[in-house]
Amino acid sequence: MLPALVRKTWRDDRLALIGWAGGVAAFTAIYTSFYSQFQGAAELKQDALPQGMLDFLGIADMLSPAGYLQATIFSLVGPLLVLMCAITLTARTIARPEEDGGMELMLANPVSRATFAWQRVAAAGSALTGIAAIPGILLMIIVPWIGMDIPLSNVAAASAGLVALVWTFAGIAFLVGATTGKRAAVLATTGGLAVATYMANAIGGMLDGWHWVRWLSPFHYFIGTDPLHTGWHPAELLTLVLLGAATTTAGVLVFDRRDIGV
Amino acid sequence: MPARKARDDVGMTSDVALLTEDLTKFYGQRRGIEGLNLEVRAGEVVGFLGPNGAGKTTTIRLLLDFLRPTRGHATVLGLDPRKDKAALHRQIGYLPGELVFPGRDKAEDLLRFFAVARGDVAWSQVTEFAERLDLDLSRSVRTMSKGNKQKVGLVQAFMHRPAVLVLDEPTSGLDPLMQQEFLAMVRDASGAGQTVFMSSHVLAEVQQVADRVAIVRDGQLAAVERVESLGKRAVRAVEIHFDDPVDPAEFSVLPGVSDVVVSGPVLKCTVDGRIDPLIKAAARHEVVDMLSAEPDLEETFLSFYYHGEGAGDASRAGA
């Protein structure tokens, strides 16, 4: 049987979990199923608009299945959704209950501090993994169904990257929460870092002489390798997983050493 | 090595439930508690008294390992609050001073969580305490009144019959009837060999159940006293209504009587110690009414220690 605290954590978060899962699933399903209608319209636009405008809007690329999935699911809105979910849910592991005082009675149970922290992470992390995996699982069904011409293996690689990206930012959010015990600090720091590293990846790809900046961005390891065209990149995915593991472990160590609820 | 040491400590001091040695906690420059030396024997009920901000909650949170001492150390049942937390918390029942429950569960679901997390506490033990406190378990804890929340807090503290109960302001929010029931629960726990360490700022409630009281003020232990000796020190406010105006001089000379204010037939004063001289003096007049506030810590005991007379007693700490 799973530890009582893990089940309790899921139960307390269940409304948020259901809401996020529903939102991410609807987003994926709606965008992907527009693909066939969108293609016809895009071809008309391609004839009507000058090439420079098409390049600027990225529409030329949206004609290919890989380009379409990249633009809709994997570039901005998809990661934005799952990362918002990851950051807010991770803030609930320690920071929020510490701030509102509910953590004290959970910590009064016979578990060590570190065990408490790991169980909270395990509960939130497994739920987040499930939510971040939803786009990938749905695409495995929708892509063959509507006849998109793209290898499923490539879609799986991009989807795995999305999960790994969530682990990285959940780890960072957990570290901030375990260190400060402040919900606002978790949201501001991790959210700010997500925006900054997203920009770093985008700018690093556009400006000559700034390519190196991309290496500092988790988004580069997620989508910079262009998995929808090039498939699996284990080293990059592993980098994200290790980042998540390292920040989570650091968070547990810090939490084990500090005063609670001061 | 640490486990070995812990076992030795248990063997050595098995009759000591709580022990603090030079226990000190500073929050930056601000003092929480300083140099606390306290010993609570197994099976004892000890009241931990002091005004707000004196360091009671800091001490309790150090014992529970929510805070780490700046200096000194504490042991509970011979175990280290941090190293042996998991084993120790199975034997501690804790009621926080500011009670906030995790989640939005019904009281029943919340208590089931605690029952499983504490090592499968029999459900009958939960319902037994819930019935004693007349608590409806089918309601959501979020929507409960302060008093009902306090009952849930008490049930989760008592339900696994822990060796040590650490209760921070346990009666706050309880109506007088439930306060009496709580005191009965403390007596039963003590009778069963459980140790109770409870903080309060109301002397009267502690007086009814405690064997000893420890008094803190300004982050330091002012005194540890047996409860029997408290009554002699109790300073109470007394108000007597006479049929006719009285002369204040007649009362201000009485032993232990001070702050005499007379307005017409009404006499107000404070009495330190025995009330008998005042009663005898008042009996010479026609008495219409007499009011005597229950001596509470704020105006009696602490005023004694605040004025420094009790400072010397600090050396008796732990006696």
Side-chain angles (χ1 to χ4, degrees):
Chain A
M1 187 117 108
L2 284 161
L5 183 63
V6 172
R7 285 178 287 138
K8 168 79 174 154
T9 306
W10 283 336
R11 196 165 72 236
D12 288 348
D13 288 348
R14 65 184 180 274
L15 283 180
L17 292 176
I18 292 167
W20 280 109
V24 171
F27 161 78
T28 310
I30 290 167
Y31 261 93
T32 320
S33 52
F34 276 161
Y35 174 67
S36 41
Q37 285 106 309
F38 184 82
Q39 255 194 328
E43 273 164 19
L44 282 179
K45 281 179 192 160
Q46 195 148 23
D47 292 341
L49 293 172
Q51 189 61 41
M53 180 69 92
L54 290 171
D55 288 346
F56 178 73
L57 295 171
I59 287 177
D61 190 37
M62 287 177 90
L63 282 172
S64 77
Y68 182 81
L69 285 182
Q70 166 112 358
T72 54
I73 310 291
F74 292 106
S75 71
L76 183 59
V77 186
L80 186 77
L81 266 183
V82 292
L83 287 185
M84 275 167 56
C85 167
I87 294 168
T88 54
L89 282 176
T90 307
R92 293 175 171 220
T93 53
I94 284 177
R96 200 176 83 166
E98 179 168 355
E99 238 168 11
D100 73 21
M103 189 163 78
E104 220 165 82
L105 278 176
M106 293 193 276
L107 264 180
N109 286 333
V111 289
S112 70
R113 281 249 199 118
T115 307
F116 169 85
W118 281 120
Q119 290 187 358
R120 293 291 277 182
V121 166
S126 55
L128 284 175
T129 303
I131 290 172
I134 287 174
I137 292 166
L138 285 178
L139 287 176
M140 290 298 118
I141 300 164
I142 296 173
V143 164
W145 189 31
I146 64 171
M148 283 178 105
D149 184 21
I150 180 171
L152 280 184
S153 163
N154 290 6
V155 177
S159 305
L162 191 61
V163 173
L165 184 76
V166 158
W167 285 354
T168 296
F169 280 100
I172 294 168
F174 178 76
L175 173 58
V176 176
T179 305
T180 63
K182 301 272 185 292
R183 187 166 174 266
V186 176
L187 302 185
T189 309
T190 322
L193 206 60
V195 171
T197 54
Y198 181 85
M199 299 291 283
N201 182 52
I203 291 171
M206 278 161 27
L207 297 180
D208 288 338
W210 286 87
H211 288 312
W212 60 271
V213 174
R214 291 184 301 166
W215 298 100
L216 300 176
S217 170
F219 288 92
H220 172 69
Y221 300 90
F222 155 53
I223 202 75
T225 52
D226 199 8
L228 290 165
H229 286 111
T230 61
W232 291 87
H233 296 268
E236 276 77 3
L237 294 183
L238 190 65
T239 304
L240 292 177
V241 172
L242 289 178
L243 253 171
T247 45
T248 304
T249 307
V252 173
L253 292 175
V254 172
F255 181 67
D256 193 33
R257 277 161 178 72
R258 71 175 171 92
D259 291 337
I260 300 296
V262 180
Chain B
M1 281 299 281
R4 170 77 187 276
K5 184 176 181 302
R7 268 202 303 278
D8 288 348
D9 285 352
V10 174
M12 235 165 53
T13 57
S14 57
D15 59 329
V16 176
L18 297 176
L19 180 70
T20 72
E21 287 173 324
D22 192 28
L23 190 64
T24 301
K25 180 65 188 177
F26 277 85
Y27 307 95
Q29 290 294 305
R30 193 163 54 86
R31 179 170 62 187
I33 189 84
E34 188 172 14
L36 181 72
N37 292 301
L38 191 66
E39 188 181 302
V40 177
R41 283 183 291 278
E44 225 183 349
V45 178
V46 171
F48 195 42
L49 297 174
N52 299 328
K56 303 189 297 289
T57 298
T58 296
T59 304
I60 283 173
R61 299 188 81 241
L62 284 162
L63 295 174
L64 269 290
D65 186 51
F66 298 136
L67 302 175
R68 304 279 162 67
T70 309
R71 199 175 71 225
H73 76 281
T75 55
V76 182
L77 300 170
L79 299 172
D80 181 86
R82 178 177 180 182
K83 282 201 298 277
D84 309 309
K85 178 182 178 301
L88 191 51
H89 281 211
R90 204 173 280 278
Q91 303 182 64
I92 296 181
Y94 170 57
L95 178 75
E98 275 185 39
L99 195 51
V100 180
F101 297 108
R104 307 177 170 278
D105 289 335
K106 287 189 294 181
E108 178 172 349
D109 294 331
L110 182 72
L111 290 169
R112 278 193 200 282
F113 159 65
F114 286 125
V116 174
R118 305 261 170 80
D120 290 320
V121 177
W123 187 245
S124 60
Q125 287 177 215
V126 177
T127 51
E128 180 198 320
F129 285 111
E131 276 163 26
R132 280 189 81 160
L133 291 166
D134 196 17
L135 174 66
D136 178 4
L137 292 179
S138 65
R139 297 203 25 226
S140 160
V141 285
R142 281 278 162 113
T143 62
M144 280 183 176
S145 67
K146 171 125 176 50
N148 281 325
K149 281 184 186 169
Q150 193 73 5
K151 292 178 187 176
V152 177
L154 286 170
V155 172
Q156 65 81 31
F158 278 81
M159 68 188 207
H160 51 305
R161 303 200 187 286
V164 179
L165 282 152
V166 180
L167 312 172
D168 197 354
E169 304 278 352
T171 57
S172 78
L174 295 183
D175 61 45
L177 203 65
M178 284 304 143
Q179 288 189 16
Q180 288 308 313
E181 189 56 43
F182 161 73
L183 294 175
M185 278 163 59
V186 170
R187 277 187 211 102
D188 291 351
S190 170
Q194 293 169 277
T195 307
V196 182
F197 185 68
M198 55 187 270
S199 81
S200 177
H201 55 265
V202 186
L203 178 61
E205 66 177 35
V206 170
Q207 213 169 357
Q208 293 185 49
V209 287
D211 301 303
R212 291 187 301 155
V213 293
I215 295 124
V216 281
R217 66 147 192 257
D218 292 343
Q220 286 178 319
L221 190 66
V224 179
E225 299 256 3
R226 297 207 62 79
V227 162
E228 298 92 87
S229 59
L230 287 181
K232 295 176 206 142
R233 285 246 171 81
V235 179
R236 65 186 81 216
V238 179
E239 188 176 317
I240 304 178
H241 295 236
F242 298 100
D243 224 9
D244 299 303
V246 290
D247 178 12
E250 192 184 336
F251 296 94
S252 52
V253 296
L254 296 171
V257 175
S258 55
D259 306 330
V260 176
V261 178
V262 172
S263 52
V266 178
L267 166 87
K268 289 181 185 174
C269 63
T270 55
V271 180
D272 187 349
R274 293 171 34 164
I275 198 165
D276 189 58
L278 177 67
I279 298 290
K280 293 271 162 64
R284 293 198 288 267
H285 302 269
E286 187 82 9
V287 176
V288 178
D289 196 4
M290 180 172 151
L291 304 165
S292 172
E294 189 131 23
D296 93 26
L297 191 68
E298 225 57 51
E299 68 182 292
T300 65
F301 214 6
L302 269 198
S303 73
F304 172 80
Y305 287 104
Y306 266 129
H307 295 125
E309 296 165 66
D313 292 6
S315 57
R316 297 215 308 268

